[in-house]
Amino acid sequence: MKYFTFAAGLFTASMTLAQTPIFTIYAPDYFASEWGPGPAIEAAFEESCSCDLQFKTGDVMSRIILEGERTEADAVIGLNTDITKKARETGLFAAHGQDNAQLTLPIEWSDEIFLPFNYGHTAFIYNTEKVANPPASFDALVNSGTDLSLVIQDPRSSISGLALVLWVKAVYGEQAEAVWQKLAPKILTVTKGWSESYGLFSDGEADMVLSYTTSPAYHIVAENDLTKKAAIFPEGHYFMVELAAKIASTDVPDLADAFLAFIMTDQFQNIIPEGNWSLPAALPKSQWPQAFQDLPLPEKVLFYSEEEAANLRKETIEEWRRALSK
């Protein structure tokens, strides 16, 4: 009898698992890692969805394009406007159905397909114990001596690297390639991704690293380290926003809709600052953690629409490549 009860329990548990719908989200590796916001978001959403949220990680854009209509994703998260033109053209996405007026971005947002969940600005981060007089402007950085060393990311493989070449283009226009020629002697190395660059900076190998205005918050909150600062330039900083979207062909559309609605809640938005070390897209500044409220942020925000970014991508990368190959 005891055996029967045990076996019946297993059977019931198996039936319950079989009836629990799986909700699949394609996400970047960092998002679902133990250091990213994914685990907290998964646990919070599962409290109300009666589902099993599963993140499948990797290069979201490439995977979606490769799989097309055969994709297993019900939703995606982690795209940004510098690459969404190509994503939109696949026709795989449905309207997010959320009220864009609830967003607290520093720019107007009217997109009905891609829903912002966080944002930030590109910036060069320095250590106050190594750099006593950081450049006070982008011009000052460009014209600084070669004793100032930088680490940046490759725009062909890195979203932040692509944002940098667009940032330079937004500030300098037709002079962008000449600016890259002046920056080249100061660039210690170009890494494939952000983490390699930031690791070199953290190890003291370079004076400044291409990162985000919110990066110092990590050091303040997690390490009680006040020595890392973002150099704020009056020319403006390039705006980056990360996005989520619903797959039109999902067989769990109600879950996809519920997840997009969840993104707009305070519960989700409060996970972002210290889970993703970026700014929440739908939360007033007065509700940010104090370390984020105290961060210096740029007064001028530079931004290319997805159409503009797509049109400039090849040109800006070529300007960067030619200048650094000389």
Side-chain angles (χ1 to χ4, degrees):
M1 189 62 178
K2 184 177 180 181
Y3 170 79
F4 174 78
T5 303
F6 177 67
L10 283 178
F11 178 74
T12 302
S14 297
M15 287 292 291
T16 301
L17 286 173
Q19 293 169 356
T20 301
I22 295 174
F23 178 53
T24 303
I25 301 178
Y26 286 1
D29 291 328
Y30 81 87
F31 189 91
S33 74
E34 61 180 301
W35 301 281
I41 288 169
E42 177 182 348
F45 186 62
E46 287 182 346
E47 286 179 0
S48 61
C49 73
S50 299
C51 71
D52 178 10
L53 191 163
Q54 296 184 1
F55 289 113
K56 292 195 173 181
T57 60
D59 186 331
V60 176
M61 186 73 181
S62 297
R63 188 169 184 178
I64 282 290
I65 290 175
L66 180 65
E67 294 178 346
E69 295 285 348
R70 298 175 292 102
T71 185
E72 297 177 4
D74 300 304
V76 299
I77 199 164
L79 299 177
N80 75 70
T81 51
D82 294 338
I83 60 173
T84 47
K85 182 174 186 292
K86 186 181 289 186
R88 194 185 307 274
E89 289 173 348
T90 66
L92 294 173
F93 300 98
H96 58 64
Q98 301 304 305
D99 182 4
N100 286 326
Q102 295 181 27
L103 296 168
T104 54
L105 302 175
I107 64 168
E108 292 292 324
W109 191 266
S110 59
D111 197 320
E112 295 182 351
I113 299 294
F114 295 105
L115 182 67
F117 69 93
N118 77 339
Y119 73 94
H121 325 79
T122 50
F124 284 96
I125 307 300
Y126 65 97
N127 183 337
T128 58
E129 293 181 341
K130 287 192 66 177
V131 181
N133 297 300
S137 67
F138 215 133
D139 268 350
L141 173 67
V142 172
N143 294 304
S144 62
T146 55
D147 55 333
L148 188 71
S149 59
L150 310 174
V151 283
I152 64 172
Q153 296 97 59
D154 191 326
R156 297 166 296 187
S157 57
S158 164
I159 290 299
S160 49
L162 178 60
L164 175 59
V165 296
L166 292 172
W167 184 16
V168 171
K169 192 68 172 178
V171 173
Y172 292 103
E174 295 302 313
Q175 300 303 312
E177 185 166 343
V179 165
W180 277 117
Q181 289 173 3
K182 287 188 174 182
L183 286 172
K186 293 180 262 293
I187 297 173
L188 179 69
T189 190
V190 178
T191 63
K192 185 176 179 181
W194 174 88
S195 58
E196 300 97 312
S197 283
Y198 213 85
L200 289 170
F201 169 72
S202 298
D203 290 341
E205 297 293 328
D207 296 322
M208 303 184 81
V209 59
L210 173 66
S211 191
Y212 305 100
T213 50
T214 51
S215 297
Y218 169 79
H219 299 284
I220 295 169
V221 174
E223 301 174 338
N224 196 29
D225 175 1
L226 305 179
T227 65
K228 310 302 187 296
K229 305 285 187 183
I232 302 298
F233 297 157
E235 294 94 334
H237 289 246
Y238 194 70
F239 177 77
M240 294 187 70
V241 59
E242 285 193 294
L243 310 160
K246 170 186 175 182
I247 298 295
S249 60
T250 174
D251 57 2
V252 287
D254 290 345
L255 285 176
D257 290 338
F259 184 75
L260 290 167
F262 177 59
I263 285 175
M264 301 295 276
T265 66
D266 286 1
Q267 186 178 17
F268 181 102
Q269 293 292 314
N270 277 310
I271 293 172
I272 292 301
E274 295 179 13
N276 207 49
W277 302 106
S278 58
L279 301 173
L283 197 68
K285 183 177 181 179
S286 60
Q287 296 182 40
W288 300 354
Q290 193 60 50
F292 285 80
Q293 292 189 40
D294 293 343
L295 288 175
L297 297 177
E299 294 184 4
K300 184 176 181 180
V301 174
L302 305 171
F303 177 62
Y304 285 125
S305 68
E306 66 176 31
E307 189 79 26
E308 292 170 325
N311 291 337
L312 287 169
R313 181 183 179 121
K314 183 177 180 181
E315 174 186 335
T316 54
I317 290 176
E318 275 303 298
E319 289 171 345
W320 167 85
R321 189 194 62 76
R322 285 195 299 265
L324 267 65
S325 63
K326 290 181 179 176

